[in-house]
Amino acid sequence: ADIPAVYAAKHRSEQIKSKSSSGGMFSGLAQFVLERGGVVFGAGFDKDWNVCHQYAESMQDLDKLRRSKYVQSDIGDAFKRAKEFLDNGRQVFFTGTPCQIAGLKNYLAKEYDNLITADLICHGVPSAAVWQKFLAENFSNAPITAIDFRDKTFGWDASFLSVVAQGRKSPNLPACLRLFKILFYARRGKIFRVFFRLSFSISNLYERPSCHTCRFKGFNRAADFTMGDLWGVKYICPRFYDKKGVSVLLVNTPKGRAVFKKIQDSLVHEQISFRQMVRYNPYYAASVPEHPKRAEFFSRYRKEPLNPLLLSLLNKKSFCARLLGKLIRKSS
């Protein structure tokens, strides 16, 4: 396969970067499609904070699909609805994990000129059941009003899972976090804002088994574009660093190249080395390794409280030290 063109990229709009998990590539591509009367599919929350695929037909409606959600997304009828839009001549921009894009292409069973697709540099897809247990245990007394898996209060490259909740009682913070609650927990009236570094994307404890032997790594992708965070930007192109976020955008297909030419003026971008990108973003090409305690976690998590279980399996002391150290480095 041909090596795709690789770009360090960020949206020119500071507002869009602030609303995005990294540099705003999803928004740049989505805007291109919406301005032409198209439809955008991506992962959003339902009323119970489950992650499921939804669609937007306007820029005002797009915000529900922005920002990463590190939970398995329920596709539901998204493939069926996308096909209906395509068959009616609407342009569709469909985003998802590499396996979801491959699933869409298999479902459609033919190529559509009016379909644009983008997948992700995917670390792995964490369990939706574990996510719901996490919410139930921590926020049963405080109804949730907002969730952001990549809150950039401390900067794009030190982002946290942020949950905003409202209620008379405070959320049930893990003991580890209570030690440093001044850093993680702010109360404004009856509004609680909690920051967790127990990210649902980094532990490898509760990904789907197929994520550890993923068939859609490297060049084996069906999407026109691949998007992700440009980790290693300070080494690859240090002048491009932006505390609000920097994306990597890979242009995989001739269709992708044609679209990129049309949106590039809305981006600040610079072509970079494919080899360097993979060096600092290894999960583009490699599957995430299975955590050695994954089987133990799944044998215990339905019977035990989640927070202490996670902290015990992930090594509580080293976890807290890394967490506090990162914040100190960011504030200095």
Side-chain angles (χ1 to χ4, degrees):
D2 294 335
I3 295 177
V6 188
Y7 297 92
K10 49 192 175 183
H11 205 283
R12 291 190 182 276
S13 167
E14 296 295 316
Q15 183 181 25
I16 285 179
K17 276 192 297 185
S18 296
K19 290 180 177 180
S20 305
S21 291
S22 50
M25 292 306 97
F26 167 74
S27 294
L29 289 162
Q31 185 172 1
F32 170 80
V33 172
L34 292 173
E35 287 175 347
R36 287 157 178 78
V39 187
V40 176
F41 283 80
F45 292 112
D46 69 9
K47 61 181 179 61
D48 297 316
W49 302 103
N50 298 298
V51 179
C52 54
H53 258 62
Q54 305 170 28
Y55 66 87
E57 296 184 82
S58 68
M59 288 299 292
Q60 291 73 26
D61 205 27
L62 188 65
D63 196 56
K64 66 185 181 183
L65 306 182
R66 287 192 178 103
R67 296 175 294 278
S68 301
K69 285 92 175 172
Y70 295 115
V71 181
Q72 180 176 344
S73 176
D74 183 356
I75 284 291
D77 66 352
F79 290 173
K80 178 182 176 182
R81 298 303 301 271
K83 185 177 188 303
E84 290 172 355
F85 286 124
L86 290 166
D87 288 338
N88 288 329
R90 301 277 296 276
Q91 189 166 56
V92 169
F93 176 43
F94 200 105
T95 64
T97 60
C99 56
Q100 287 173 332
I101 301 302
L104 171 68
K105 294 293 186 76
N106 285 336
Y107 177 84
L108 295 175
K110 71 173 188 177
E111 290 295 323
Y112 283 84
D113 292 338
N114 50 333
L115 173 65
I116 301 169
T117 55
D119 65 15
L120 313 168
I121 297 180
C122 183
H123 178 277
V125 183
S127 163
V130 174
W131 168 241
Q132 284 301 318
K133 183 176 174 69
F134 170 80
L135 295 181
E137 290 187 8
N138 286 286
F139 297 97
S140 58
N141 297 321
I144 297 167
T145 57
I147 293 175
D148 188 351
F149 279 91
R150 293 288 301 279
D151 187 295
K152 297 192 281 191
T153 297
F154 303 108
W156 154 73
D157 48 351
S159 55
F160 283 71
L161 167 58
S162 165
V163 181
V164 181
Q166 185 171 1
R168 293 183 178 181
K169 296 182 179 180
S170 66
N172 304 315
L173 295 179
C176 168
L177 298 186
R178 286 206 282 282
L179 297 174
F180 310 118
K181 66 181 178 180
I182 192 170
L183 294 174
F184 304 96
Y185 169 53
R187 178 173 179 173
R188 298 290 180 268
K190 293 181 180 179
I191 302 296
F192 301 92
R193 189 173 186 82
V194 188
F195 297 98
F196 292 90
R197 194 64 182 120
L198 283 176
S199 171
F200 277 75
S201 67
I202 60 171
S203 72
N204 305 355
L205 269 176
Y206 27 73
E207 271 83 5
R208 292 175 57 181
S210 58
C211 295
H212 304 303
T213 55
C214 180
R215 296 166 45 202
F216 304 103
K217 292 292 183 178
F219 301 147
N220 189 29
R221 295 168 184 265
D224 300 305
F225 296 96
T226 297
M227 308 180 294
D229 296 278
L230 184 55
W231 304 125
V233 61
K234 291 182 178 179
Y235 305 101
I236 297 170
C237 47
R239 64 187 175 280
F240 215 82
Y241 176 79
D242 187 326
K243 67 179 182 180
K244 288 189 176 180
V246 182
S247 296
V248 58
L249 182 68
L250 293 96
V251 184
N252 300 324
T253 66
K255 183 190 292 183
R257 289 193 288 273
V259 172
F260 182 74
K261 287 181 181 178
K262 295 176 181 178
I263 70 164
Q264 60 184 351
D265 289 345
S266 67
L267 312 175
V268 181
H269 61 282
E270 177 179 323
Q271 192 160 2
I272 59 174
S273 160
F274 176 85
R275 186 182 297 273
Q276 274 194 303
M277 184 279 296
V278 174
R279 177 182 178 186
Y280 294 102
N281 300 268
Y283 295 123
Y284 170 82
S287 296
V288 62
E290 181 176 330
H291 194 284
K293 296 182 179 179
R294 183 184 186 279
E296 180 182 354
F297 170 81
F298 276 105
S299 70
R300 296 171 58 186
Y301 96 98
R302 292 190 184 277
K303 298 174 288 187
E304 300 180 32
L306 188 61
N307 290 331
L309 175 60
L310 287 175
L311 291 171
S312 67
L313 294 180
L314 295 174
N315 189 337
K316 175 179 174 179
K317 289 183 179 180
S318 66
F319 166 77
C320 292
R322 291 197 308 272
L323 179 59
L324 186 60
K326 174 168 277 196
L327 285 180
I328 292 172
R329 287 195 300 274
K330 289 297 293 182
S331 61
S332 62

